[in-house]
Amino acid sequence: MFSSLTGSLCVWGRGVGGYLFAGVLFHLALPLVRSIFMTCRLSENQTMSDFSSPEFPHARKAAAHREGGASGSAAAGREKLIDGKAFASALTKETAEQVRAFHAEHGVTPGLAVVLVGNDPASEVYVRNKALQTHRAGMRSFMHMLPETTSEAELLTLVDRLNRDPEIHGILVQLPLPAGVDARRVTNAIAPEKDVDGLGEVNAGRLALGLPGLVPCTPLGCMMLLKSAVGELRGLNAVVVGASNLVGKPMALLLLNEGCTVSVAHIDTVDPQALARTADILVVATGHRALVTKDWVKPGATVIDVGITRIPTDSGKTKLVGDVAFDEVAPIAGRITPVPGGVGPMTIACLLRNTLTAANMSVTPHEAD
Ligand SMILES: Nc1nc(=O)c2c([nH]1)NC[C@@H]1CN(c3ccc(C(=O)N[C@@H](CCC(=O)O)C(=O)O)cc3)C=[N+]21
C-alpha cells in the first residue's frame, strides 16, 4: 500500500499530516503549501501569519465567523468571491514545476488515463478542460473515448490493461456510466495506487478512517478553497447539502477530519433549509440549480457551490449555473464561490495533483501501513 498524500497536506492538517512520510513527498508538499498561502495572500490581502497565528484559536475564529454577517450585508463585492479559477491556475503552475522536477529526477513523465463512455455533457465539459490542463502541467494524457454501447466486461478489460501500464500513473473513469454498467465494479477495479478520483473502496475507506490516500478531486478542491478563505476550520459548523459518493460523503469526511461539526442534508432530510441555516460553512452539491436561496444561508457563512448545470440563455446561448442562487445569496454570505470559476477549475487542478502524487508513489519505495 502507499503512504502519502502530497496534494493535500494543507487539507488534512495535523490529522493526517502526521502520517506523511518524509523525503521526496515532503519535498513535494511544502512548495504546494507555500503556493496555497501565496494564493491566499493574492486573493485576500492576508499574510501567512494570519492563517497560522496562535492569536486565532478556533473558538474565537468560530465566534468571529458567526458574527461576520452583520458587516457582510453590503452588496457582494469582489472580495467576497472565492476565486477558484485563480487558485486552480496557481496550483497547476506549481504542479507543472514539480512535474518538471520529478522528470529530471526520475526520467518519468506522469501519465493520466481518462475513460469516457458515451456523451454525457457534464463529462464532456470536464474532459475538454482536463486535456488542456494536463498538457499545461507537462503530463501525458491518454484519452479513451468509448461508445455508449461499451459493455462492463470491455471496460473491466481496459481498466486492467491501464492498471498494468507503467506509463500510466492515474486512471479516471468518467461518471455517470451508461445503464447496464455497474459503475461501482468498474471504479473498484482501478488499482488503489492509480485511483486518482479516490472513489475505490480502498481510498474511500482510508478517507473514512482518516488515513492518507488519494482523495476525491472535487471535495479536495473545496477544502483547499475553504482553508484559503476561512483559515482554521476546527470548531466550525459545517453543513453539506447532498450525500453523493462523488462529493457529499467524502466532503463531510474531510470536514470532520478538520475538526468541523458536520451535518449532511440529503433527499430525506425533513427541513434541509433550517439545517443549512446553522452552517458556518455550507457546501452544496445536489445538481439542483438555484436550490439554495438566501433563506438557507446564515449571514456571514462561507458558501461553496459545487453544482454545475448548463442552461439556455435568452440570447440563444447557454450558461453554467450552480446549486446556489448566487445573486441573492452573495450579499449575505461572508465568502462565496462563483459558478463558473469556482469549484470546477479546482477539480481539475486537484486531479493533476493526485496524478503527480500517484506518480510519486510509483517511484518511491514504501511500506504497508
Ligand atoms: N469520475 C468522475 N470524476 C469527476 O470529477 C467528474 C466525473 N466523473 N464526471 C463529470 C463531473 C463533472 N466534472 C467537472 C469538473 C470541472 C468542470 C469545470 O472545469 N468547470 C468550469 C467551467 C467549464 C466551462 O466553462 O465549460 C467552471 O466551473 O468554471 C466541470 C465539470 C467532474 N466530474
Side-chain angles (χ1 to χ4, degrees):
M1 259 309 111
F2 49 87
S3 280
S4 187
L5 180 67
T6 58
S8 44
L9 180 63
C10 59
V11 168
W12 291 91
R14 55 194 125 140
V16 169
Y19 292 96
L20 277 174
F21 268 3
V24 63
L25 295 161
F26 265 121
H27 186 72
L28 270 171
L30 290 175
L32 170 69
V33 173
R34 239 188 9 247
S35 99
I36 287 168
F37 283 129
M38 190 190 76
T39 316
C40 300
R41 269 207 303 277
L42 286 178
S43 59
E44 293 185 72
N45 268 340
Q46 277 174 305
T47 62
M48 193 159 162
S49 61
D50 289 327
F51 293 94
S52 52
S53 168
E55 288 175 25
F56 291 93
H58 67 265
R60 271 185 57 184
K61 192 108 196 174
H65 205 269
R66 286 182 192 110
E67 286 154 14
S71 59
S73 54
R78 270 180 156 273
E79 68 281 0
K80 275 201 178 184
L81 280 187
I82 302 173
D83 189 344
K85 199 171 167 189
F87 198 119
S89 127
L91 188 58
T92 299
K93 205 167 151 241
E94 174 103 1
T95 303
E97 280 161 22
Q98 294 179 355
V99 165
R100 266 195 299 278
F102 179 80
H103 184 268
E105 193 174 346
H106 302 286
V108 173
T109 303
L112 172 67
V114 173
V115 180
L116 176 59
V117 184
N119 47 10
D120 174 72
S123 293
E124 279 176 357
V125 170
Y126 185 34
V127 165
R128 212 172 46 230
N129 285 350
K130 188 213 63 63
L132 236 152
Q133 301 293 328
T134 308
H135 291 123
R136 193 171 290 175
M139 300 191 196
R140 297 176 72 191
S141 166
F142 302 85
M143 300 296 303
H144 295 267
M145 315 280 262
L146 305 175
E148 185 83 24
T149 52
T150 307
S151 71
E152 185 178 308
E154 286 169 312
L155 268 173
L156 290 172
T157 306
L158 173 61
V159 167
D160 185 51
R161 184 155 65 77
L162 299 173
N163 278 343
R164 294 163 201 251
D165 187 337
E167 295 199 331
I168 287 169
H169 305 95
I171 303 169
L172 182 145
V173 177
Q174 290 284 326
L175 300 174
L177 288 170
V181 174
D182 184 342
R184 172 62 24 220
R185 258 183 101 176
V186 175
T187 306
N188 217 35
I190 299 169
E193 63 274 16
K194 295 193 179 188
D195 176 21
V196 284
D197 235 355
L199 300 178
E201 286 165 15
V202 169
N203 284 302
R206 286 179 158 264
L207 178 60
L209 294 174
L211 294 171
L214 290 162
V215 176
C217 308
T218 301
L220 180 57
C222 292
M223 286 305 287
M224 289 184 182
L225 293 180
L226 275 171
K227 290 215 126 189
S228 88
V230 179
E232 175 64 57
L233 303 180
R234 198 160 293 276
L236 296 178
N237 285 341
V239 174
V240 179
V241 184
S244 68
N245 290 330
L246 190 64
V247 182
K249 284 185 205 168
M251 188 73 226
L253 287 167
L254 283 170
L255 289 161
L256 182 61
N257 289 342
E258 283 297 319
C260 292
T261 302
V262 184
S263 309
V264 181
H266 51 79
I267 194 84
D268 296 316
T269 299
V270 174
D271 192 349
Q273 179 176 322
L275 185 64
R277 279 189 73 88
T278 67
D280 302 311
I281 290 166
L282 184 61
V283 182
V284 190
T286 67
H288 291 272
R289 59 177 277 224
L291 173 76
V292 170
T293 54
K294 64 179 185 327
D295 303 327
W296 289 56
V297 179
K298 179 167 70 172
T302 301
V303 180
I304 305 289
D305 188 353
V306 182
I308 175 162
T309 309
R310 190 170 287 279
I311 59 164
T313 62
D314 294 342
S315 61
K317 295 187 180 163
T318 64
K319 67 170 181 173
L320 297 178
V321 294
D323 290 356
V324 175
F326 184 89
D327 290 345
E328 61 177 87
V329 170
I332 60 160
R335 302 290 305 274
I336 184 167
T337 58
V339 176
V343 172
M346 287 302 290
T347 298
I348 294 173
C350 287
L351 174 63
L352 302 179
R353 279 239 57 92
N354 280 353
T355 304
L356 177 61
T357 302
N360 255 289
M361 293 190 296
S362 77
V363 299
T364 310
H366 37 259
E367 302 151 19
D369 301 303

